[in-house]
Amino acid sequence: MRMNKKYSCLPAEEKGIHIINIRAIEDIGYDQHESTLLNSLSKNPDADCKYGLYFRDGKRKVDYILVYHYKKSSSGKTLTRRVHHNDSSARSTKQDQPLPGKGVQLEMGESEPHVDYHEDDKRFRREEYEGNLVEAGLELERDEDTKIHGVGFVKIHAPWNVLCREAEFLKLKMPTKKMYQINQTHGLLKKINSVIQKITEPIQPKVAEHKPQMVKRLSYPFSREKQHLFDLSDRDSFFDSKTRSTIVYEILKRTTCTKAKYSMGITSLLANGVYTAAYPLHDGDYEGENVEPNDRKLLCEEWASYGVFYKYQPIDLVRKYFGEKIGLYFAWLGVYTQMLIPASIVGIIVFLYGCATVDENIPSMEMCDQRNNITMCPLCDRTCSYWKMSSACATARASHLFDNPATVFFSVFMALWAATFMEHWKRKQMRLNYRWDLTGFEEEEDHPRAEYEAKVLEKSLRKEHKHKETDKEKLTWKDRFPAYLTNFVGIIFMVGLTFAIVFGVIIYRISTAAALAISSTPSGRSSVRVTVTATAVIINLVVIIILDEVYGCIARWLTQIEVPKTDKNFEDRLIFKAFLLKFVNAYTPIFYVAFFKGRFVGRPGDYVYIFHSFRMEECAPGGCLMELCIQLSIIMLGKQLIQNNLFEIGIPKMKKFIRYMKLKRRRSLDHEEHMKKKQRYEVDYNLEPFAGLTPEYMEMIIQFGFVTLFVASFPLAPLFALLNNIIEIRLDAKKFVTELRRPVAVRAKDIGIWYNILRGIGKLAVIINAFVISFTSDFIPRLVYLYMYSENGTMHGFVNHTLSSFNVSDFQAGTAPNDPMDLGYEVQICRYKDYREPPWSENKYDISKDFWAVLAARLAFVIVFQNLVMFMSDFVDWIIPDIPKDISQQIHKEKVLMVEVFMREEQGKLQMLETWKDKDKKKGENCNNHSPRLSRSRSGSLSSCPSYPLDV
């Protein structure tokens, strides 16, 4: 009987019909059609509870939802029919019934249903768990009469006393009655800020939370003993929906279910299928004609719409609705996108500079000049013939667009940009911490994960026969050693697989180039390099996209077998593994083109071969930088368009369509259910569950690597990243608001391990760009020629200086061209790009001293560039304070004001005590003055002297 009352949604006096009366009505002969007619004439209780946002009484707000699957037996269907009229709505009948298996007695003569022990076990665990939740102070209400067949919902409400208790446990900072003025700028800064506000007013979101604040409430960790400090005039809105769901989730995590030696929280119950889902509710609908105003609708209009792409994000409203962790992600994404604007502008200027000076570039002019008549050595054995250098004119001119002196400046600029971006984000983060009352917040150790508890339980059961105390058991490195070994071997294997695939693409490039060279058409032979490069990059892109998904699943599996103790440890380890694998997967083909292609070719007559048949491929006469640019641009744009945007749009749409078709098929089976309007928790159940922020951060971190690591070869990378992020912000916003269940709000003061990854990429970018400029581009060889070998101080003769000569009679047997007269004349000397001695020298084909001079200059440039840029980056880091001056002043002001509040409170208490003492003293004197008369009285003096209780 206790459990029956516990799960009842209505007070006893509001229930109009008892079960015995319903049986009498059934005996009279009501049919289903008549009951439906009566229900249609009665008041709709769904409107009273705002279609699932409140309990059936319309007063208690639903803070959390638990979902479970159940199987209806034949007796269960009979019971449902009998209590169908228990309320004016068919939906309320199930909420007045007790838990399955409790408080319901089968009639005599009814056949006992088939026993499903697995379902019974789940049901018993749910009963115990929900009973424990009620003992913890939560209020529950059950609904099994839904449009989704076989799915039951448990609605959870946290009353005021539970909210206060948990807020004190969690040390939640809540606004007090005390308000103070925020320090405003004065003089010239005030005028500048006012001008900026007027200019940016059209691009500000129209939400109250985004308006500049002049005053702020003093915040203090909530305490039940100090409730007088807080503004409790409206208790319903003091704890917002985000805070309420966070409090309930904390209770759900620590409440256990101990049946069958299990010690479970909600995570374990979800993992074992006892419940299928657990989530807080969205605030309401976001579209429709008669939709009541709510934060979700406001976010959809002012944030999750492509029409407001030019506006700032309402970050405070995002934090209010989704919590600090998700708010920080979108704040970081917004800062990153804003910082891409100056980087994009400088990148466009560098690119335009290359376009403007391409006709003045002497090396490309010499390569395109057909009068030079430079005959180049064959690109492959036998099938390839000699070719004219002027045929590579287009490649040489295109290379100058990205390989010019301005790219060196751009590399230095981007290194300083990365350092400035990190410092700007730290300052922005501190402002948000102050605004969101996170100053002084420290993350406490989370509850152990379900898998960890299960492993510890398994370990303790194995040792149970040795010693009884198993509470202090924990997993040691010996327990995890097989998992660590599997992780090490797995990661090495995955990295090796990536290298093997890149090597396979290299074989494809070499073999395809040789096959296309056999083509008899001149146009086919002239486009060999472009065709091979483009097709190979597309293959790389497809492989990268496929392996990204595979590596994400493998990283999760490798992390799961490690059995980390807390969710934070699990997330950090998962991020590290996923980033390592995806970094190697995305950048290995680019590293190959940048630093390895053309380095180990050999020379004519002594080439390096793979498998004794495939000759290593060479760079174009203009260098490998142009090919690196093509590789980088196609992979970057392909990942953004296909993986980040099409997948994020297409896959959720496809899943949503599949769910819609399944529900449509179910609805066709039950017309009455189809006519009901869905409850809020039913609608949210059909949304996708929130899978965490790791995928969102990961794609942005990989993009940040494309923008910074090889920016010397592709100055337009920041521009493409900016265009992608403008869409990405609105795409992610739309996904969070309309397509995902509302995630549990998580408090966080920073972006965690991602900040360290960003700093690591920024440092690595300096080194990689130094090597790209030195070894991939021709910047250093041009400088060496200009200052050491040029006769007239110009670049005339540079191309000839970088080419070595080869006597065609020195070809190895079987490697000479099959058609030596392809150019129309006999070739005796051909040229190839390298610094080697000529064939008429004593040490023919040996490395020349020019090679060592250029190598020394390259290494010197790497050392100078790296140390200079690192120093400048650290200087920027040092000169910009992490905490803005005005924020540090406000934090100090808050501390002073809080001390003043407590000092006044203490003084008030002391004054009250002194007042009471004075009154007590006076009363005592009055009692002493009347003592002779009191001595003749039989009653004691205490009965005649009134006492004054103290109520502070």
Side-chain angles (χ1 to χ4, degrees):
M1 190 65 185
R2 183 180 66 88
M3 296 297 292
N4 192 9
K5 290 181 179 179
K6 185 188 303 180
Y7 287 91
S8 177
C9 66
L10 295 174
E13 60 270 18
E14 294 182 15
K15 299 178 182 178
I17 303 174
H18 299 285
I19 291 179
I20 186 169
N21 295 335
I22 292 173
R23 291 182 178 178
I25 289 172
E26 284 188 345
D27 293 339
I28 293 173
Y30 266 167
D31 61 6
Q32 187 71 21
H33 176 73
E34 292 170 334
S35 66
T36 306
L37 180 62
L38 286 175
N39 287 336
S40 65
L41 294 175
S42 63
K43 186 180 178 182
N44 183 12
D46 289 345
D48 295 339
C49 66
K50 294 187 178 180
Y51 293 98
L53 288 174
Y54 288 82
F55 277 21
R56 281 289 156 187
D57 55 12
K59 299 177 181 178
R60 291 174 291 173
K61 186 177 178 62
V62 176
D63 299 319
Y64 219 86
I65 291 291
L66 299 180
V67 188
Y68 60 91
H69 283 286
Y70 66 93
K71 293 183 180 179
K72 287 185 178 180
S73 62
S74 58
S75 61
K77 293 179 181 176
T78 305
L79 178 64
T80 304
R81 181 175 58 83
R82 284 177 178 162
V83 297
H84 191 67
H85 305 280
N86 198 15
D87 197 346
S88 60
S89 168
R91 188 179 302 277
S92 66
T93 60
K94 276 292 181 179
Q95 289 139 20
D96 290 330
Q97 65 172 311
L99 280 168
K102 285 202 175 187
V104 177
Q105 300 294 331
L106 294 174
E107 289 185 352
M108 296 297 294
E110 288 186 354
S111 59
E112 190 170 340
H114 174 69
V115 179
D116 187 341
Y117 294 102
H118 186 61
E119 288 298 322
D120 285 346
D121 179 58
K122 289 182 180 180
R123 178 163 51 84
F124 291 148
R125 293 191 201 178
R126 285 198 296 268
E127 288 174 10
E128 185 199 0
Y129 183 71
E130 290 165 12
N132 292 339
L133 291 180
V134 172
E135 291 177 3
L138 299 178
E139 297 175 4
L140 310 183
E141 182 177 277
R142 171 166 293 180
D143 185 2
E144 289 183 356
D145 185 23
T146 64
K147 298 182 73 172
I148 307 174
H149 291 279
V151 175
F153 297 88
V154 177
K155 295 175 277 187
I156 303 177
H157 169 77
W160 173 256
N161 60 330
V162 174
L163 293 173
C164 293
R165 180 191 71 203
E166 297 298 323
E168 185 173 350
F169 291 167
L170 296 174
K171 301 177 183 177
L172 296 180
K173 273 192 171 183
M174 304 302 292
T176 63
K177 297 176 183 177
K178 176 69 176 178
M179 300 182 71
Y180 68 94
Q181 192 82 14
I182 296 177
N183 293 338
Q184 302 294 324
T185 54
H186 301 283
L188 182 62
L189 285 177
K190 184 177 181 180
K191 294 181 180 179
I192 294 174
N193 288 338
S194 62
V195 171
I196 293 174
Q197 286 179 6
K198 289 180 180 179
I199 294 174
T200 60
E201 187 175 356
I203 60 175
Q204 300 291 344
K206 297 177 181 178
V207 296
E209 286 79 2
H210 198 76
K211 294 179 181 178
Q213 295 179 343
M214 306 299 291
V215 293
K216 186 177 183 292
R217 286 189 179 274
L218 194 63
S219 296
Y220 186 73
F222 188 82
S223 172
R224 287 172 291 180
E225 295 180 355
K226 300 184 182 299
Q227 288 192 31
H228 57 278
L229 294 177
F230 303 95
D231 185 11
L232 303 180
S233 57
D234 185 6
R235 290 189 173 188
D236 292 336
S237 62
F238 183 74
F239 295 106
D240 57 16
S241 59
K242 164 187 67 75
T243 307
R244 297 175 71 99
S245 62
T246 302
I247 287 173
V248 173
Y249 183 64
E250 287 295 323
I251 298 174
L252 293 177
K253 281 199 298 185
R254 70 166 185 258
T255 303
T256 58
C257 171
T258 57
K259 280 192 182 294
K261 294 189 176 180
Y262 281 94
S263 180
M264 299 180 169
I266 186 60
T267 51
S268 290
L269 295 172
L270 288 171
N272 292 325
V274 178
Y275 292 101
T276 55
Y279 51 89
L281 293 179
H282 280 291
D283 279 357
D285 292 325
Y286 59 89
E287 59 183 359
E289 296 180 358
N290 300 322
V291 176
E292 293 184 5
N294 58 72
D295 287 343
R296 189 187 187 193
K297 186 175 186 293
L298 187 59
L299 282 172
C300 189
E301 294 172 352
E302 294 294 329
W303 183 50
S305 173
Y306 295 110
V308 295
F309 72 92
Y310 59 92
K311 289 188 176 183
Y312 285 100
Q313 299 182 85
I315 292 299
D316 292 324
L317 184 59
V318 174
R319 173 254 177 179
K320 177 186 174 186
Y321 193 79
F322 291 109
E324 287 79 6
K325 192 170 185 178
I326 294 176
L328 282 173
Y329 163 70
F330 281 103
W332 173 83
L333 185 56
V335 170
Y336 172 46
T337 304
Q338 289 175 14
M339 290 294 293
L340 283 173
I341 295 175
S344 302
I345 293 172
V346 176
I348 292 171
I349 293 173
V350 170
F351 178 73
L352 293 177
Y353 171 80
C355 295
T357 59
V358 67
D359 292 329
E360 302 172 3
N361 183 39
I362 295 175
S364 62
M365 291 170 60
E366 289 184 347
M367 289 182 65
C368 295
D369 191 357
Q370 296 184 0
R371 294 173 297 176
N372 288 336
N373 198 25
I374 299 176
T375 303
M376 303 297 292
C377 294
L379 296 175
C380 61
D381 293 343
R382 295 188 300 275
T383 55
C384 298
S385 184
Y386 305 106
W387 55 286
K388 292 283 189 181
M389 174 173 275
S390 57
S391 64
C393 175
T395 306
R397 290 174 62 85
S399 296
H400 179 73
L401 300 178
F402 306 100
D403 187 4
N404 56 68
T407 57
V408 180
F409 157 76
F410 191 56
S411 299
V412 177
F413 170 81
M414 287 303 294
L416 298 179
W417 172 88
T420 307
F421 163 59
M422 300 305 294
E423 290 304 309
H424 179 44
W425 166 244
K426 280 196 290 188
R427 292 169 63 84
K428 177 70 173 180
Q429 194 170 252
M430 285 305 303
R431 288 188 181 277
L432 293 176
N433 285 344
Y434 165 71
R435 227 157 64 199
W436 296 348
D437 297 322
L438 292 172
T439 52
F441 167 71
E442 295 295 336
E443 293 185 10
E444 298 179 357
E445 187 175 356
D446 202 357
H447 300 282
R449 296 175 62 247
E451 292 81 358
Y452 180 84
E453 288 186 334
K455 280 285 184 182
V456 171
L457 177 64
E458 182 182 338
K459 181 180 178 182
S460 61
L461 290 176
R462 286 199 305 264
K463 297 183 177 181
E464 198 172 28
H465 65 281
K466 295 182 179 179
H467 49 85
K468 295 287 174 104
E469 275 192 40
T470 58
D471 293 337
K472 296 182 180 179
E473 284 291 342
K474 62 180 181 178
L475 298 183
T476 62
W477 69 269
K478 293 181 180 179
D479 300 316
R480 291 192 174 104
F481 180 74
Y484 290 153
L485 184 61
T486 305
N487 270 260
F488 178 76
V489 174
I491 291 175
I492 294 297
F493 175 76
M494 292 299 113
V495 173
L497 177 63
T498 303
F499 290 163
I501 291 173
V502 172
F503 184 72
V505 175
I506 294 171
I507 299 297
Y508 162 80
R509 294 163 66 110
I510 296 170
S511 58
T512 306
L516 292 176
I518 306 175
S519 174
S520 58
T521 59
S523 60
R525 289 196 297 269
S526 62
S527 61
V528 167
R529 196 180 296 274
V530 176
T531 304
V532 170
T533 301
T535 55
V537 172
I538 292 173
I539 293 172
N540 273 327
L541 174 62
V542 173
V543 170
I544 286 172
I545 291 174
I546 294 173
L547 287 184
D548 255 2
E549 303 301 321
V550 174
Y551 286 169
C553 298
I554 291 175
R556 180 169 291 275
W557 176 74
L558 290 175
T559 309
Q560 285 173 347
I561 64 175
E562 281 188 39
V563 198
K565 184 175 181 180
T566 63
D567 286 329
K568 189 177 187 316
N569 291 340
F570 180 88
E571 187 180 17
D572 289 347
R573 296 185 185 194
L574 174 62
I575 289 170
F576 174 75
K577 294 181 184 66
F579 173 73
L580 177 62
L581 293 175
K582 293 189 176 187
F583 182 90
V584 172
N585 181 42
Y587 296 116
T588 299
I590 301 173
F591 270 94
Y592 164 73
V593 175
F595 302 121
F596 296 98
K597 184 180 178 182
R599 308 293 173 192
F600 311 101
V601 177
R603 61 171 180 81
D606 188 21
Y607 283 114
V608 177
Y609 292 90
I610 302 174
F611 305 133
H612 303 288
S613 56
F614 296 107
R615 207 174 90 186
M616 291 293 292
E617 55 183 344
E618 304 175 34
C619 289
C624 280
L625 196 69
M626 185 61 197
E627 189 171 343
L628 176 62
C629 174
I630 295 172
Q631 184 105 1
L632 185 66
S633 59
I634 292 179
I635 291 178
M636 179 181 177
L637 294 177
K639 274 181 65 67
Q640 290 183 349
L641 291 176
I642 298 174
Q643 191 175 24
N644 297 352
N645 292 332
L646 290 183
F647 280 13
E648 287 192 14
I649 297 173
I651 291 178
K653 293 286 185 186
M654 186 174 64
K655 289 181 178 179
K656 192 175 182 180
F657 177 75
I658 293 172
R659 288 195 303 269
Y660 170 76
M661 294 304 294
K662 287 181 179 179
L663 289 174
K664 190 177 180 181
R665 188 166 63 250
R666 289 175 180 173
R667 289 173 190 169
S668 62
L669 300 176
D670 193 337
H671 180 70
E672 182 187 351
E673 293 290 331
H674 179 66
M675 297 305 294
K676 297 176 186 176
K677 182 176 178 180
K678 276 190 175 182
Q679 301 288 300
R680 177 77 263 154
Y681 43 85
E682 294 177 77
V683 177
D684 288 2
Y685 177 68
N686 291 325
L687 299 176
E688 280 289 305
F690 175 63
L693 289 172
T694 300
E696 313 299 335
Y697 272 115
M698 188 66 70
E699 65 181 74
M700 288 296 105
I701 296 297
I702 296 296
Q703 184 203 84
F704 183 77
F706 282 122
V707 169
T708 55
L709 291 179
F710 297 94
V711 74
S713 63
F714 190 39
L716 296 179
L719 174 64
F720 289 118
L722 173 64
L723 297 176
N724 174 80
N725 287 6
I726 291 174
I727 301 172
E728 181 73 21
I729 290 176
R730 307 304 164 180
L731 183 65
D732 283 348
K734 197 171 187 66
K735 181 172 67 174
F736 273 83
V737 173
T738 65
E739 296 177 1
L740 294 180
R741 293 175 192 161
R742 188 174 184 177
V744 180
V746 178
R747 287 189 298 169
K749 63 186 299 183
D750 52 40
I751 59 175
I753 193 175
W754 297 110
Y755 181 81
N756 297 327
I757 292 175
L758 285 169
R759 285 191 67 87
I761 291 177
K763 300 295 184 184
L764 184 62
V766 176
I767 302 172
I768 289 178
N769 281 305
F771 277 94
V772 167
I773 294 170
S774 296
F775 288 90
T776 308
S777 75
D778 282 338
F779 177 74
I780 298 301
R782 286 198 294 263
L783 284 181
V784 171
Y785 176 78
L786 185 64
Y787 293 107
M788 291 182 62
Y789 299 102
S790 177
E791 297 177 355
N792 53 6
T794 64
M795 293 302 294
H796 287 288
F798 170 73
V799 174
N800 187 61
H801 176 74
T802 59
L803 298 177
S804 299
S805 302
F806 178 74
N807 193 330
V808 298
S809 61
D810 294 331
F811 272 121
Q812 291 181 352
T815 61
N818 294 333
D819 186 9
M821 298 295 292
D822 185 59
L823 294 178
Y825 57 88
E826 185 179 357
V827 177
Q828 295 182 349
I829 299 293
C830 66
R831 309 295 294 275
Y832 61 98
K833 190 169 183 179
D834 204 349
Y835 292 101
R836 290 183 180 271
E837 298 290 343
W840 51 84
S841 172
E842 294 181 1
N843 303 316
K844 65 178 183 177
Y845 308 132
D846 284 351
I847 294 175
S848 64
K849 63 179 182 179
D850 298 340
F851 172 83
W852 300 110
V854 172
L855 179 63
R858 282 173 163 165
L859 294 175
F861 177 83
V862 168
I863 295 171
V864 172
F865 181 89
Q866 176 183 333
N867 286 281
L868 178 62
V869 175
M870 288 283 191
F871 170 76
M872 295 171 69
S873 300
D874 291 340
F875 179 75
V876 170
D877 192 355
W878 172 76
I879 201 172
I880 301 176
D882 293 346
I883 304 177
K885 186 177 180 181
D886 59 325
I887 296 299
S888 61
Q889 290 175 351
Q890 298 289 358
I891 293 173
H892 177 70
K893 185 176 181 179
E894 277 196 350
K895 292 179 180 178
V896 173
L897 287 175
M898 187 54 67
V899 170
E900 289 180 0
V901 167
F902 284 118
M903 289 298 293
R904 288 175 185 172
E905 186 180 0
E906 291 296 324
Q907 290 174 0
K909 288 180 181 180
L910 290 174
Q911 289 176 359
M912 290 178 67
L913 287 171
E914 289 175 359
T915 304
W916 178 80
K917 287 179 180 179
D918 292 341
K919 289 183 178 180
D920 189 53
K921 188 176 180 181
K922 290 179 181 179
K923 295 299 179 183
E925 291 176 355
N926 291 336
C927 290
N928 292 332
N929 293 335
H930 297 285
S931 56
R933 184 163 53 94
L934 291 174
S935 61
R936 292 190 297 270
S937 176
R938 291 184 180 179
S939 60
S941 62
L942 289 177
S943 64
S944 300
C945 298
S947 62
Y948 295 90
L950 179 63
D951 185 12
V952 180

